[in-house]
């Protein structure tokens, strides 16, 4: 048996999800991190060896003590980021989705043929996401492999775990002439090239980067490219990401052109597996959800973006009740904020509006739905455990044997008396900003802040 030595011990109060509706808050614990970046042990102050472990950590100069108003939380997992769209975050969100893509998004993404531009943007984006407590991100890149490799280099530089996809989009009827794959054959071949390039780049990195099969969505791909990408996913046993039933326009495209649901088209080509993450899903029906559950597909819920482009509200509590995997995504730039805290808040708000309804002209009994709203605890679960399960990562909880992906968060509001653990937790979820996230660790490595 190989024993891996402890290299860091974090001392302080911890908050972690137990399940989708329960959190565990502990006032004083030691989180012991080994040399491989895993949590070796979590020691409560009530345990008999708490003091001796702390003393040993002090002697070895391994102890990092949190302030009384700081709390240790799991790092967040962002399941849907369009990395090249970062310069447009918050731009033209009043436009319909297809117009927004054609007028703003595709022209911006075409600029990433310039590797120096890609390097500039991606370095800033990854640093920003880490600064907001995001320790793992699932990224759409562009069609340009040199630019996609710059995104991976930025993740390695900033100690973030990246899942990165070379976007495939070869349908000339739905993509601009200056920004598309030349053919289905080249879309698939370039994806395979990127898989090999990223695997090589990541080989000696402390935090591994993972290639992802990435058909942009059904409208932008031909049947030939969808088929080839499904075969690649199987060949290399890789994650898959795309959009599914995001809007009336996208949902309607599959029905009009394939006479099938979005999910049926993706499934037909082997793109719905237990390693698939499908963004949005606001218009998924029960048949789609049954398919997702049976295949093990995860949904990336993007609550801010869905307000602008989703044409509906994802019934999160329904998916959780049916054991469909769900996590959170910012969907930069359809979502304007790089903060998953902001997206947790919007997820809760949207769920309440779905339950209560929004049309005041209707009778209260007819105005809303039977879909139950979610809570801050549900949202916290989505941003941590939900994301981890979606990506098959052993992280998202402060627990022995789990990756030490952690954020140290200062309580953002003053306390005016004794507060319960739930009150402290809710104030953090509803008020924390980037400035309150003092340190971030990914696989035990410092990604933001400094050691005290």
């Amino acid at each position: 048996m190989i024993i891996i030595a402890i290299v860091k011990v974090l001392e302080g109060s911890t908050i972690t999800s137990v399940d989708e509706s329960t959190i565990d808050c502990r006032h004083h614990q030691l989180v012991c991190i080994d040399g491989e970046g895993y949590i070796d042990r979590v020691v409560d102050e009530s345990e008999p060896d708490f003091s001796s472990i702390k003393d040993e950590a002090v002697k070895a100069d391994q102890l990092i003590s949190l302030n009384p108003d700081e709390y240790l939380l799991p790092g967040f997992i962002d399941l849907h980021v369009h990395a090249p769209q970062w310069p447009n975050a918050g731009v033209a969100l009043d436009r319909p989705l297809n117009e927004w893509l054609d007028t703003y998004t595709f022209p911006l993404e075409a600029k990433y043929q310039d590797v120096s531009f890609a390097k500039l943007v991606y370095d800033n984006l990854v640093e920003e996401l880490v600064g907001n407590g995001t320790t793992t991100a699932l990224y759409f890149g562009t069609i340009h492999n040199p630019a996609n490799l710059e995104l991976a280099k930025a993740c390695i530089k900033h100690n973030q775990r990246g899942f990165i996809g070379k976007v495939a989009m070869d349908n000339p009827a739905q993509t601009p002439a200056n920004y598309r794959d030349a053919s289905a054959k080249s879309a698939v071949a370039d994806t395979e090239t990127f898989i090999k390039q990223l695997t090589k780049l990541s080989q000696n990195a402390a935090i591994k980067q993972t290639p992802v099969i990435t058909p942009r969505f059904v409208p932008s791909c031909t049947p030939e490219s969808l088929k080839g990408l499904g075969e690649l996913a199987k060949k290399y046993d890789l994650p898959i990401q795309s959009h599914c039933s995001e809007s009336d326009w996208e949902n309607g495209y599959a029905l009009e052109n394939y006479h099938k649901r979005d999910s049926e088209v993706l499934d037909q080509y082997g793109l719905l597996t237990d390693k698939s993450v499908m963004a949005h899903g606001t218009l998924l029906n029960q048949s789609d959800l049954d398919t997702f559950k049976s295949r093990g597909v995860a949904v990336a819920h993007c609550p801010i973006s869905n307000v602008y482009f989703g044409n509906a509200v994802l019934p999160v509590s329904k998916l959780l009740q049916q054991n469909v995997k769900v996590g959170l995504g910012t969907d930069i730039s359809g979502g304007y904020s790089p903060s998953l805290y902001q997206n947790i808040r919007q997820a809760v708000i949207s769920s309440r509006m779905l339950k209560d309804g929004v049309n005041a002209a209707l009778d209260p009994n007819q105005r809303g739905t039977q879909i139950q709203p979610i809570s801050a605890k549900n949202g916290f679960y989505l941003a941590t455990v939900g994301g981890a399960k979606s990506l098959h990562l052993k992280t998202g909880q402060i627990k022995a044997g789990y990756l030490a992906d952690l954020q140290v968060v200062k309580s953002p509001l003053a306390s005016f008396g004794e507060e319960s653990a739930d009150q402290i937790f809710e104030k953090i979820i509803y008020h924390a900003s980037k400035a309150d996230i003092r340190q971030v660790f990914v696989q035990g490595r410092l990604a933001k802040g400094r050691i005290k």
Side-chain angles (χ1 to χ4, degrees), residues 168-321:
M169 42 189 291
D170 68 310
N171 182 0
Q174 293 292 332
T175 53
N178 69 331
Y179 185 57
R180 76 166 73 111
D181 292 298
S183 65
K185 184 177 180 180
S186 66
V188 175
D190 289 349
T191 296
E192 187 163 26
T193 297
F194 178 67
I195 292 167
K196 294 175 181 177
Q197 289 174 328
L198 182 55
T199 301
K200 182 178 180 181
L201 176 67
S202 184
Q203 195 169 11
N204 297 317
I207 297 173
K208 302 300 181 188
Q209 309 299 308
T210 302
V212 182
I213 303 299
T214 309
R216 188 177 199 109
F217 52 11
V218 168
S220 67
C221 296
T222 62
E224 292 77 16
S225 65
L226 293 173
K227 179 176 182 291
L229 293 169
E231 291 169 351
L232 275 186
K234 184 176 182 180
K235 177 180 178 180
Y236 290 98
D237 189 26
L238 286 175
I240 302 164
Q241 62 179 341
S242 191
H243 304 76
C244 189
S245 294
E246 174 184 2
S247 63
D248 292 324
W249 169 71
E250 184 204 323
N251 197 54
Y253 182 91
L255 293 169
E256 181 179 346
N257 290 273
Y258 289 87
H259 308 293
K260 293 181 177 181
R261 300 278 303 167
D262 226 8
S263 66
E264 291 175 306
V265 177
L266 293 165
D267 194 36
Q268 174 184 340
Y269 294 111
L271 293 165
L272 295 186
T273 75
D274 70 343
K275 289 189 173 182
S276 296
V277 179
M278 295 291 125
H280 306 292
T282 52
L283 298 176
L284 294 171
N285 65 17
Q286 188 57 53
S287 175
D288 299 325
L289 293 179
D290 291 341
T291 299
F292 275 33
K293 183 179 178 181
S294 66
R295 301 284 188 272
V297 176
V299 175
H301 178 34
C302 307
I304 291 177
S305 174
N306 289 347
V307 170
Y308 296 102
F309 298 127
N311 297 134
V313 176
L314 183 75
V316 175
S317 60
K318 178 181 177 181
L319 272 64
L320 292 174
Q321 288 165 7

Side-chain angles (χ1 to χ4, degrees), residues 4 16 27 33 36-37 44 56 125 130 135 149 170 174-175 226 238 254 305 315 319 338 356 368 372 395 409 430 439:
I4 301 173
T16 189
H27 173 61
I33 302 171
E36 297 294 320
D44 195 78
E56 286 297 318
L125 168 64
V130 170
T135 50
L149 291 172
D170 68 310
Q174 293 292 332
T175 53
L226 293 173
L238 286 175
S305 174
L319 272 64
D356 294 341
Q372 292 302 307
T395 189
V409 185
Y430 282 112
Q439 292 168 303

Side-chain angles (χ1 to χ4, degrees), residues 297-417:
V297 176
V299 175
H301 178 34
C302 307
I304 291 177
S305 174
N306 289 347
V307 170
Y308 296 102
F309 298 127
N311 297 134
V313 176
L314 183 75
V316 175
S317 60
K318 178 181 177 181
L319 272 64
L320 292 174
Q321 288 165 7
Q322 295 187 20
N323 294 314
V324 175
K325 291 186 291 190
V326 192
L328 276 186
T330 56
D331 191 27
I332 293 167
S333 67
Y336 59 80
S337 174
S339 167
L340 280 179
Y341 284 98
Q342 288 277 49
N343 278 275
I344 291 172
R345 295 161 198 161
Q346 185 60 53
V348 175
I349 292 168
S350 293
S351 75
R352 294 189 69 89
M353 296 177 79
L354 178 64
K355 174 64 169 67
D356 294 341
V358 296
N359 188 349
L362 295 176
D363 183 270
N365 294 325
Q366 299 176 318
R367 193 179 301 148
T369 71
Q370 296 302 308
I371 306 298
Q372 292 302 307
I374 65 170
S375 66
K377 291 177 183 177
N378 299 143
F380 182 55
Y381 171 89
L382 297 182
T384 54
V385 181
K389 288 184 175 180
S390 299
L391 294 176
H392 297 267
L393 291 172
K394 199 167 186 182
T395 189
Q397 291 176 288
I398 301 176
K399 192 173 181 180
Y402 281 58
L403 286 162
D405 299 340
L406 305 162
Q407 52 179 317
V408 176
V409 185
K410 179 185 178 298
S411 183
L413 296 182
S415 175
F416 300 99

Side-chain angles (χ1 to χ4, degrees), residues 46-74:
S46 62
E47 296 182 48
D49 55 351
F50 179 92
S51 295
S52 61
I53 292 172
K54 179 178 176 179
D55 290 343
E56 286 297 318
V58 171
K59 289 178 186 175
D61 195 26
Q62 295 173 339
L63 188 69
I64 302 170
S65 296
L66 276 61
N67 293 327
D69 62 348
E70 293 177 337
Y71 297 84
L72 190 66
L73 278 63

